[in-house]
Amino acid sequence: MKKLLPLLSLLLILPLSNVMAQKEFNVNGVIVPRTLEFKSRELSLNGVGQRSKMFTELYVQALYLSQLSQDAAFIIDSDTEMAIRIQVTSGLVSSKKLSKALEKGVERSVGPKGFVKLTDKLLQLERLIGKEETKKGDAFNLIYSPMDSALLIYKNDRYEGKIDGFEFKKAFFGIWLSEDPVDKILKEDLLGRYK
């Protein structure tokens, strides 16, 4: 029995170390990196999921944090580096549809009164996302920088611009993490609470 115990321990540790060593994951054909580099900082994958609507897979989304957490309110209120990565998986997703969906998500996140205060920021977001038409395979990295107090928009690793304001950051991440998220299953996935 004494010889069997170390062997069992080793067998349990090996699969775990292989998972920890993975640099990327394949989620329904989309390669999701384990980390994102941002201004010499490394953000770690907190969770990943897929957004579907009416039996159509729209995009694969990942949440990256500087400090991993399963506490949605903490993440929303945290003034630290974090990122949302969205990779479009459907030809039905256009720049206009994506920006409108994000706009509706912000309204759910903050409610009608808070939404009115953010209309200028949402117009900026629409312009930045729609600089050129979005197509299947496009990837957006939407990174919050506390140094800039802004959400920086990257499309296919190309910087598109930024939207200033910590309150906008909270509303934006609230699209998926608020008490009224656009997709409750996706919220659980982004928080790493896989079922």
Side-chain angles (χ1 to χ4, degrees):
M1 183 68 176
K2 285 184 180 181
K3 290 182 180 180
L4 190 59
L5 203 54
L7 180 61
L8 284 173
S9 298
L10 183 61
L11 288 174
L12 289 172
I13 291 171
L14 278 176
L16 184 61
S17 65
N18 283 342
V19 168
M20 296 304 280
Q22 279 184 275
K23 292 193 187 308
E24 58 190 27
F25 300 93
N26 187 321
V27 180
N28 295 335
V30 173
I31 301 301
V32 178
R34 183 178 222 27
T35 60
L36 281 182
E37 295 291 325
F38 177 68
K39 293 188 177 184
S40 304
R41 298 270 326 245
E42 189 173 89
L43 302 176
S44 299
L45 181 64
N46 195 73
V48 62
Q50 188 163 311
R51 175 80 167 119
S52 301
K53 199 169 184 179
M54 297 175 67
F55 308 107
T56 302
E57 298 167 355
L58 301 175
Y59 55 81
V60 169
Q61 181 172 345
L63 173 65
Y64 293 86
L65 301 174
S66 53
Q67 177 185 340
L68 299 182
S69 176
Q70 291 189 331
D71 183 339
F74 171 79
I75 295 167
I76 289 171
D77 291 332
S78 177
D79 193 16
T80 58
E81 286 94 353
M82 62 182 67
I84 287 286
R85 179 177 173 82
I86 295 174
Q87 183 149 349
V88 177
T89 57
S90 170
L92 298 174
V93 178
S94 65
S95 297
K96 189 168 187 74
K97 286 180 182 175
L98 180 59
S99 60
K100 289 298 174 196
L102 294 174
E103 184 179 308
K104 286 180 185 175
V106 166
E107 185 170 14
R108 284 180 74 150
S109 169
V110 297
K113 286 184 183 177
F115 179 75
V116 171
K117 296 176 187 173
L118 297 173
T119 51
D120 288 345
K121 308 276 187 193
L122 290 165
L123 287 171
Q124 271 184 279
L125 180 64
E126 185 177 346
R127 279 193 302 272
L128 294 173
I129 285 177
K131 278 187 176 178
E132 98 185 18
E133 191 49 53
T134 297
K135 60 189 181 309
K136 183 177 178 178
D138 283 345
F140 292 89
N141 288 341
L142 306 134
I143 305 171
Y144 175 70
S145 167
M147 285 178 57
D148 299 303
S149 191
L151 185 71
L152 285 67
I153 314 294
Y154 294 84
K155 182 176 181 180
N156 299 324
D157 295 324
R158 186 184 67 237
Y159 177 70
E160 300 292 344
K162 67 179 182 173
I163 302 168
D164 293 323
F166 182 60
E167 290 306 310
F168 180 74
K169 172 266 176 188
K170 291 186 350 183
F172 185 79
F173 280 81
I175 293 171
W176 303 278
L177 300 175
S178 69
E179 291 296 315
D180 188 20
V182 293
D183 185 322
K184 289 183 174 148
I185 294 170
L186 180 56
K187 175 181 177 176
E188 295 298 305
D189 291 344
L190 294 177
L191 293 173
R193 300 179 188 157
Y194 303 106
K195 293 181 180 174

